[in-house]
Amino acid sequence: MTPAELREAYRQVTDRIGEAAARSGRSAEDIVLVAVTKYATVDQIQQLLELGHTDLGESRVQQLTQRVAQIDEFLARKRTLANAAPKSKDLMPEQVRWHMIGHLQRNKVKQVVPLVSLIHSVDSLRLAEELHNYAARHDLTIDILLQVNASGEGQKNGVACPAAFHLAEQIDTMVHLRLRGLMTMAAQSDNPEDARGAFARTAEIFKDIRDAKIGGPTLNVLSMGMSHDFEVAIEEGANVVRVGSALFGEKPADDA
Ligand SMILES: *Cc1c(COP(=O)(O)O)cnc(C)c1O
């Protein structure tokens, strides 16, 4: 994939986000695109940042750790260059926001928390407690989403729909965690319409939690939709979408 192809893919994804947002009475600025970098090269990530992109997502701890270090170094280098020769048209963000979107084991909490702005994948009371203990020890507040299993698939991570409300209530009592909203993944399917039911169910739980004033005014994140279904997700109320292959290409065959 050439830089021009990546730029074009980025433009297409952001255009489609804008159109889907318009269909749900919102605008492109209301939707955050998290570029999922798990199958991207470091060059591709750097090119995306040069286009002004700020939000990046990783699903595995080891890769997150590597990527954060690589990108930090790249940004530091860029800043040094920019200070030496300022360019008015530089779109590069000062800082990127990393999102942890994959399953998080409790023994990896201390590695992940310092690196990320938002953890999308809190799916148990025990993980929430571990995060809360860590945050209390370091006098932090950690932004999290509760991951809901709205597609009902046995093997998927996420708390079952009927349990989500109660877990949200429990997390709401943990003063060092800030519950920002919900995340879900739809079942794999060739037809994006198949995802609509799971997204609508998650949006409904989100509304129930908000109506109950759980989380307060900062409960405002609904993370739903990936490359194949982000438009349907936005139509159903998502304001964060997590897109990998539509930006960077399909995953390499040897990684299947
Ligand atoms: C890989 C991944 C994505 C992005 O998937 P694509 O289909 O490549 O867009 C989004 N969310 C999670 C949790 C993922 O693991």
Side-chain angles (χ1 to χ4, degrees), residues 37-61:
T37 55
K38 63 186 177 202
Y39 305 125
T41 65
V42 178
D43 277 352
Q44 286 178 312
I45 303 172
Q46 294 176 354
Q47 286 157 20
L48 203 63
L49 298 180
E50 282 170 341
L51 298 173
H53 192 74
T54 52
D55 287 88
L56 302 173
E58 268 296 337
S59 58
R60 278 173 290 172
V61 175

Tab-separated table of all heavy atoms in Angstrom, residues 37-61:
chain	number	residue	atom	x	y	z
A	37	THR	N	-4.426	-0.366	14.724
A	37	THR	CA	-3.128	-0.526	14.062
A	37	THR	C	-2.570	-1.936	14.122
A	37	THR	O	-1.413	-2.156	13.802
A	37	THR	CB	-2.106	0.447	14.701
A	37	THR	OG1	-2.060	0.215	16.122
A	37	THR	CG2	-2.501	1.884	14.456
A	38	LYS	N	-3.407	-2.923	14.533
A	38	LYS	CA	-2.825	-4.242	14.782
A	38	LYS	C	-2.224	-4.879	13.532
A	38	LYS	O	-1.307	-5.669	13.637
A	38	LYS	CB	-3.818	-5.166	15.468
A	38	LYS	CG	-5.052	-5.490	14.705
A	38	LYS	CD	-6.010	-6.299	15.590
A	38	LYS	CE	-7.299	-6.573	14.873
A	38	LYS	NZ	-8.393	-6.854	15.799
A	39	TYR	N	-2.715	-4.539	12.330
A	39	TYR	CA	-2.116	-5.070	11.111
A	39	TYR	C	-1.439	-3.986	10.280
A	39	TYR	O	-1.149	-4.196	9.106
A	39	TYR	CB	-3.171	-5.807	10.272
A	39	TYR	CG	-3.870	-6.891	11.048
A	39	TYR	CD1	-5.253	-6.917	11.152
A	39	TYR	CD2	-3.130	-7.884	11.706
A	39	TYR	CE1	-5.887	-7.903	11.884
A	39	TYR	CE2	-3.758	-8.860	12.441
A	39	TYR	CZ	-5.134	-8.873	12.521
A	39	TYR	OH	-5.761	-9.833	13.246
A	40	ALA	N	-1.195	-2.828	10.893
A	40	ALA	CA	-0.547	-1.736	10.162
A	40	ALA	C	0.962	-1.790	10.358
A	40	ALA	O	1.445	-2.303	11.363
A	40	ALA	CB	-1.083	-0.395	10.653
A	41	THR	N	1.702	-1.250	9.411
A	41	THR	CA	3.143	-1.081	9.614
A	41	THR	C	3.366	0.242	10.344
A	41	THR	O	2.496	1.119	10.345
A	41	THR	CB	3.897	-1.044	8.271
A	41	THR	OG1	3.479	0.125	7.556
A	41	THR	CG2	3.610	-2.284	7.440
A	42	VAL	N	4.540	0.362	10.938
A	42	VAL	CA	4.858	1.617	11.631
A	42	VAL	C	4.849	2.778	10.640
A	42	VAL	O	4.370	3.875	10.951
A	42	VAL	CB	6.219	1.513	12.354
A	42	VAL	CG1	6.568	2.833	13.027
A	42	VAL	CG2	6.169	0.406	13.393
A	43	ASP	N	5.331	2.537	9.420
A	43	ASP	CA	5.284	3.589	8.385
A	43	ASP	C	3.860	4.067	8.144
A	43	ASP	O	3.610	5.267	8.012
A	43	ASP	CB	5.841	3.048	7.058
A	43	ASP	CG	7.351	3.118	7.010
A	43	ASP	OD1	7.936	3.723	7.927
A	43	ASP	OD2	7.932	2.576	6.050
A	44	GLN	N	2.936	3.109	8.059
A	44	GLN	CA	1.542	3.492	7.810
A	44	GLN	C	0.984	4.341	8.955
A	44	GLN	O	0.265	5.312	8.729
A	44	GLN	CB	0.670	2.244	7.631
A	44	GLN	CG	0.868	1.527	6.305
A	44	GLN	CD	-0.006	0.278	6.227
A	44	GLN	OE1	-0.045	-0.527	7.152
A	44	GLN	NE2	-0.725	0.137	5.124
A	45	ILE	N	1.329	3.958	10.172
A	45	ILE	CA	0.832	4.732	11.319
A	45	ILE	C	1.391	6.149	11.257
A	45	ILE	O	0.672	7.131	11.456
A	45	ILE	CB	1.230	4.059	12.656
A	45	ILE	CG1	0.717	2.619	12.718
A	45	ILE	CG2	0.675	4.858	13.837
A	45	ILE	CD1	1.242	1.834	13.918
A	46	GLN	N	2.671	6.255	10.937
A	46	GLN	CA	3.288	7.576	10.850
A	46	GLN	C	2.629	8.417	9.762
A	46	GLN	O	2.371	9.615	9.949
A	46	GLN	CB	4.789	7.428	10.578
A	46	GLN	CG	5.524	6.771	11.743
A	46	GLN	CD	6.987	6.515	11.460
A	46	GLN	OE1	7.472	6.718	10.339
A	46	GLN	NE2	7.707	6.052	12.458
A	47	GLN	N	2.308	7.788	8.630
A	47	GLN	CA	1.651	8.525	7.541
A	47	GLN	C	0.284	9.037	7.970
A	47	GLN	O	-0.123	10.149	7.645
A	47	GLN	CB	1.507	7.627	6.307
A	47	GLN	CG	2.826	7.395	5.575
A	47	GLN	CD	2.791	6.123	4.749
A	47	GLN	OE1	1.714	5.615	4.416
A	47	GLN	NE2	3.951	5.601	4.420
A	48	LEU	N	-0.421	8.198	8.723
A	48	LEU	CA	-1.752	8.606	9.186
A	48	LEU	C	-1.646	9.802	10.136
A	48	LEU	O	-2.445	10.736	10.069
A	48	LEU	CB	-2.423	7.424	9.884
A	48	LEU	CG	-3.937	7.459	9.952
A	48	LEU	CD1	-4.545	7.413	8.561
A	48	LEU	CD2	-4.459	6.296	10.781
A	49	LEU	N	-0.645	9.777	11.009
A	49	LEU	CA	-0.457	10.902	11.934
A	49	LEU	C	-0.120	12.173	11.162
A	49	LEU	O	-0.565	13.259	11.522
A	49	LEU	CB	0.642	10.580	12.955
A	49	LEU	CG	0.369	9.382	13.870
A	49	LEU	CD1	1.531	9.172	14.833
A	49	LEU	CD2	-0.921	9.559	14.653
A	50	GLU	N	0.619	12.018	10.079
A	50	GLU	CA	0.979	13.199	9.274
A	50	GLU	C	-0.245	13.802	8.594
A	50	GLU	O	-0.231	14.959	8.188
A	50	GLU	CB	2.072	12.841	8.259
A	50	GLU	CG	3.425	12.785	8.949
A	50	GLU	CD	4.541	12.204	8.100
A	50	GLU	OE1	4.255	11.499	7.105
A	50	GLU	OE2	5.712	12.432	8.451
A	51	LEU	N	-1.305	13.008	8.467
A	51	LEU	CA	-2.566	13.541	7.932
A	51	LEU	C	-3.396	14.215	9.029
A	51	LEU	O	-4.498	14.676	8.777
A	51	LEU	CB	-3.392	12.415	7.284
A	51	LEU	CG	-2.748	11.715	6.087
A	51	LEU	CD1	-3.576	10.511	5.645
A	51	LEU	CD2	-2.583	12.701	4.935
A	52	GLY	N	-2.868	14.226	10.258
A	52	GLY	CA	-3.563	14.908	11.347
A	52	GLY	C	-4.371	13.983	12.236
A	52	GLY	O	-5.113	14.443	13.107
A	53	HIS	N	-4.206	12.671	12.037
A	53	HIS	CA	-4.993	11.738	12.841
A	53	HIS	C	-4.433	11.605	14.263
A	53	HIS	O	-3.236	11.652	14.459
A	53	HIS	CB	-5.043	10.365	12.159
A	53	HIS	CG	-6.044	9.463	12.779
A	53	HIS	ND1	-7.391	9.637	12.575
A	53	HIS	CD2	-5.919	8.446	13.662
A	53	HIS	CE1	-8.039	8.749	13.294
A	53	HIS	NE2	-7.171	8.006	13.964
A	54	THR	N	-5.321	11.430	15.252
A	54	THR	CA	-4.854	11.419	16.649
A	54	THR	C	-5.172	10.145	17.440
A	54	THR	O	-4.508	9.877	18.441
A	54	THR	CB	-5.490	12.574	17.451
A	54	THR	OG1	-6.892	12.528	17.263
A	54	THR	CG2	-4.948	13.916	17.027
A	55	ASP	N	-6.192	9.388	17.061
A	55	ASP	CA	-6.644	8.273	17.905
A	55	ASP	C	-6.245	6.929	17.309
A	55	ASP	O	-6.620	6.606	16.182
A	55	ASP	CB	-8.158	8.324	18.117
A	55	ASP	CG	-8.545	9.440	19.070
A	55	ASP	OD1	-8.754	10.571	18.587
A	55	ASP	OD2	-8.594	9.186	20.290
A	56	LEU	N	-5.504	6.130	18.104
A	56	LEU	CA	-5.006	4.840	17.642
A	56	LEU	C	-5.437	3.752	18.611
A	56	LEU	O	-5.500	3.987	19.828
A	56	LEU	CB	-3.470	4.872	17.568
A	56	LEU	CG	-2.859	5.952	16.667
A	56	LEU	CD1	-1.336	5.975	16.830
A	56	LEU	CD2	-3.213	5.712	15.199
A	57	GLY	N	-5.711	2.559	18.095
A	57	GLY	CA	-6.149	1.459	18.943
A	57	GLY	C	-5.323	0.210	18.737
A	57	GLY	O	-4.893	-0.089	17.631
A	58	GLU	N	-5.099	-0.510	19.842
A	58	GLU	CA	-4.403	-1.806	19.774
A	58	GLU	C	-5.165	-2.807	20.631
A	58	GLU	O	-5.774	-2.446	21.640
A	58	GLU	CB	-2.967	-1.687	20.298
A	58	GLU	CG	-1.934	-1.387	19.229
A	58	GLU	CD	-1.785	-2.494	18.184
A	58	GLU	OE1	-2.121	-3.664	18.471
A	58	GLU	OE2	-1.319	-2.176	17.073
A	59	SER	N	-5.104	-4.074	20.236
A	59	SER	CA	-5.857	-5.079	20.978
A	59	SER	C	-4.959	-5.999	21.797
A	59	SER	O	-5.447	-6.736	22.637
A	59	SER	CB	-6.722	-5.904	20.024
A	59	SER	OG	-5.910	-6.506	19.048
A	60	ARG	N	-3.640	-5.954	21.526
A	60	ARG	CA	-2.762	-6.841	22.280
A	60	ARG	C	-1.698	-6.035	23.030
A	60	ARG	O	-1.115	-5.102	22.467
A	60	ARG	CB	-2.108	-7.876	21.359
A	60	ARG	CG	-3.047	-9.057	21.102
A	60	ARG	CD	-2.482	-9.990	20.081
A	60	ARG	NE	-2.492	-9.368	18.766
A	60	ARG	CZ	-1.919	-9.864	17.682
A	60	ARG	NH1	-1.269	-11.003	17.750
A	60	ARG	NH2	-1.992	-9.243	16.526
A	61	VAL	N	-1.436	-6.454	24.265
A	61	VAL	CA	-0.604	-5.658	25.163
A	61	VAL	C	0.820	-5.497	24.632
A	61	VAL	O	1.376	-4.407	24.636
A	61	VAL	CB	-0.587	-6.280	26.576
A	61	VAL	CG1	0.380	-5.533	27.483
A	61	VAL	CG2	-1.983	-6.277	27.161
